Amino acid sequence: MAKKSIADVDCHGKTVLMRVDFNVPQDDTGAITDDRRIRMALPSIQSVIDRGGKLILMSHLGRPKGKGPEPEFTLHPTAVRLAELLGKPVAFASDTVGPDAQSKVAALAQGDVLVLENVRFNPGEKEGEASYAKTLASFADIYCNDAFGTCHREEASMVAVPLAMGNQPKVVGFLVAKEIQYLSDTISKPGRPFVAILGGAKVSDKINVIKNLLGICDYVLIGGAMAYTFSLAQGGKTGKSLVEPDKVPLAKELIAAGSGKLILPSDTHCGDAFSSSCNKQVVAAGNIPDGWEGLDIGPETAKRYADIVKSSKTVVWNGPMGVFEMPPFDEGTKAVAKAIADSDAVSIIGGGDSAAAIEQLGFADAVTHVSTGGGASLSMLEGEKFRAVEILDEA
Ligand code: AMP
């Protein structure tokens, strides 16, 4: 699925409409608390500027109602932050397809950057209204998708706008290209043994990921609270652990489908309360006493999982092995993260909590790829094809 990238098109004197993911976290005053998503888009942005392109950036921020401007969701702070990061002025349009956007697009010179107001202020963004997509498409000569976190969505700026650009170039940015390379291409032709480690709170969130990875991996290692629903399915005792009793039949199906491949914990680190200071004990999996809850994989499981990682050639990890926010129940997650960081395998960390854990532990530079997308990276691990990517030009 190699897609044409922004590096493959001549941007000189051309206007590039780039969909980015500037959906940054903000505090109560609107100040950006983490500008990582803006920084991740910089290579594509810089590449257009350096080659004399005129750049229009569009993004969503938060979940406005789609009925006009809502000041708390303005993208203005992201334009200010981008200007600081680039060390040059960045223009901002107070609408997306209205008169301010139209006049600022017309005024763009080579190397200029313009951020349009939140695409989700327009009803057309969600509802796919043709005139909205057409107007955005009319602004540019080249469309670029560098919004990986939104790639599993089919909103107008992701699909209708590039389609409205007809035969003009439609390409991926560097961030999307890298995510596809690892979350799709590497996984479809993995070095073996190929091991997936899946954790987190609920089986229900990861059913399709488990199913897809059981089809292509040599081993799927399970951790986190979802292990206890599997334990229930095997007739184990789970005390007051977080379980999903209605998912027991499904867990039985997955155990049967994954015979030999699906590896469950052999021991559990549990506590008598959901707290760092609770009484603690390690018990055999499926033997959690009444009044106790499983909060992490036990040391024997952590060692076994680390050994499997050591002998693998490709590792995918999504979801913590326990309540990693609450020491000492971070030990299982730490042991797995360290084994991945120490191994020579191609290692891919799915977004969300596992990405946060690997960064917190300082291992981000020791793994091959840390995905920037939460929902999008899970969807990709489910083997889903993204229409927003499929419609872009092949290399
Ligand atoms: P997810 O968003 O599904 O990846 O789940 C991440 C959350 O699962 C984290 O906040 C963990 O604290 C939580 N989690 C992992 N293991 C357990 C457990 N044994 N009991 C309760 N919560 C857990």
Side-chain angles (χ1 to χ4, degrees):
M1 185 162 78
K3 289 287 168 182
K4 193 179 268 186
S5 115
I6 189 68
D8 302 329
V9 286
D10 179 11
C11 300
H12 188 79
K14 302 268 171 55
T15 305
V16 178
L17 179 62
M18 188 181 288
R19 177 53 158 103
V20 286
D21 180 3
F22 281 1
N23 185 26
V24 290
Q26 290 168 287
D27 66 17
D28 293 345
T29 68
I32 297 170
T33 53
D34 181 356
D35 65 0
R36 205 163 78 100
R37 288 193 163 149
I38 303 175
R39 284 186 283 111
M40 300 299 296
L42 286 178
S44 295
I45 292 171
Q46 198 69 57
S47 155
V48 173
I49 299 173
D50 290 350
R51 290 180 290 153
K54 305 171 188 178
L55 183 60
I56 306 168
L57 298 172
M58 57 176 173
S59 176
H60 74 281
L61 176 73
R63 291 168 187 258
K65 294 184 189 72
K67 294 194 170 94
E70 292 174 53
E72 67 269 38
F73 296 120
T74 177
L75 275 170
H76 186 256
T78 68
V80 173
R81 182 74 192 112
L82 177 62
E84 288 164 6
L85 290 166
L86 290 174
K88 64 180 268 156
V90 168
F92 179 73
S94 59
D95 51 28
T96 316
V97 288
D100 197 38
Q102 308 223 3
S103 74
K104 285 183 175 147
V105 167
L108 283 173
Q110 289 182 15
D112 283 355
V113 182
L114 167 67
V115 174
L116 302 178
E117 185 53 287
N118 196 337
V119 288
R120 287 192 185 164
F121 288 171
N122 305 275
E125 176 65 7
K126 288 255 180 183
E127 289 157 18
E129 181 194 297
S131 67
Y132 163 77
K134 251 190 178 161
T135 308
L136 269 172
S138 74
F139 286 167
D141 309 299
I142 297 164
Y143 173 87
C144 176
N145 174 348
D146 211 19
F148 182 70
T150 322
C151 274
H152 55 319
R153 309 239 181 249
E154 298 194 3
E155 293 163 13
S157 58
M158 303 298 297
V159 175
V161 173
L163 286 177
M165 291 189 64
N167 291 329
Q168 286 169 306
K170 296 183 267 294
V171 300
V172 291
F174 297 122
L175 176 63
V176 168
K178 189 163 178 257
E179 295 278 5
I180 293 174
Q181 180 191 342
Y182 288 109
L183 289 168
S184 175
D185 299 352
T186 300
I187 285 175
S188 64
K189 292 183 217 81
R192 293 190 183 275
F194 176 20
V195 176
I197 307 161
L198 300 175
K202 293 180 174 173
V203 188
S204 49
D205 293 341
K206 311 265 161 97
I207 297 165
N208 291 328
V209 179
I210 300 174
K211 280 187 179 160
N212 186 45
L213 292 178
L214 275 177
I216 53 182
C217 288
D218 299 294
Y219 299 106
V220 176
L221 316 181
I222 300 288
M226 69 171 166
Y228 313 131
T229 300
F230 284 101
S231 190
L232 271 188
Q234 292 174 317
K237 283 179 60 190
T238 54
K240 57 174 184 177
S241 304
L242 184 62
V243 286
E244 292 174 279
D246 60 319
K247 293 291 173 293
V248 165
L250 179 93
K252 283 186 180 163
E253 250 177 62
L254 291 171
I255 291 170
S259 65
K261 283 187 175 186
L262 189 75
I263 314 271
L264 298 168
S266 56
D267 60 349
T268 304
H269 194 181
C270 38
D272 62 356
F274 193 85
S275 136
S276 278
S277 57
C278 64
N279 293 308
K280 304 164 187 84
Q281 62 172 320
V282 173
V283 300
N287 281 296
I288 302 174
D290 290 344
W292 292 71
E293 61 189 301
L295 294 169
D296 194 11
I297 53 174
E300 185 183 277
T301 307
K303 182 173 183 319
R304 182 164 176 229
Y305 286 8
D307 287 343
I308 296 175
V309 166
K310 263 180 219 154
S311 60
S312 68
K313 291 271 191 324
T314 311
V315 184
V316 170
W317 178 32
N318 184 288
M321 297 291 97
V323 187
F324 76 106
E325 305 93 332
M326 198 167 76
F329 301 106
D330 57 348
E331 281 166 9
T333 301
K334 267 188 187 163
V336 164
K338 184 169 184 331
I340 296 174
D342 287 346
S343 92
D344 296 329
V346 172
S347 47
I348 301 159
I349 315 301
D353 280 330
S354 21
I358 209 103
E359 275 179 22
Q360 243 174 52
L361 295 167
F363 293 138
D365 291 338
V367 299
T368 316
H369 179 64
V370 182
S371 178
T372 55
S377 80
L378 259 192
S379 296
M380 215 162 224
L381 293 177
E382 288 172 357
E384 222 181 84
K385 299 272 174 262
F386 296 158
R387 186 149 156 74
V389 174
E390 282 189 317
I391 59 172
L392 304 177
D393 300 341
E394 298 291 331

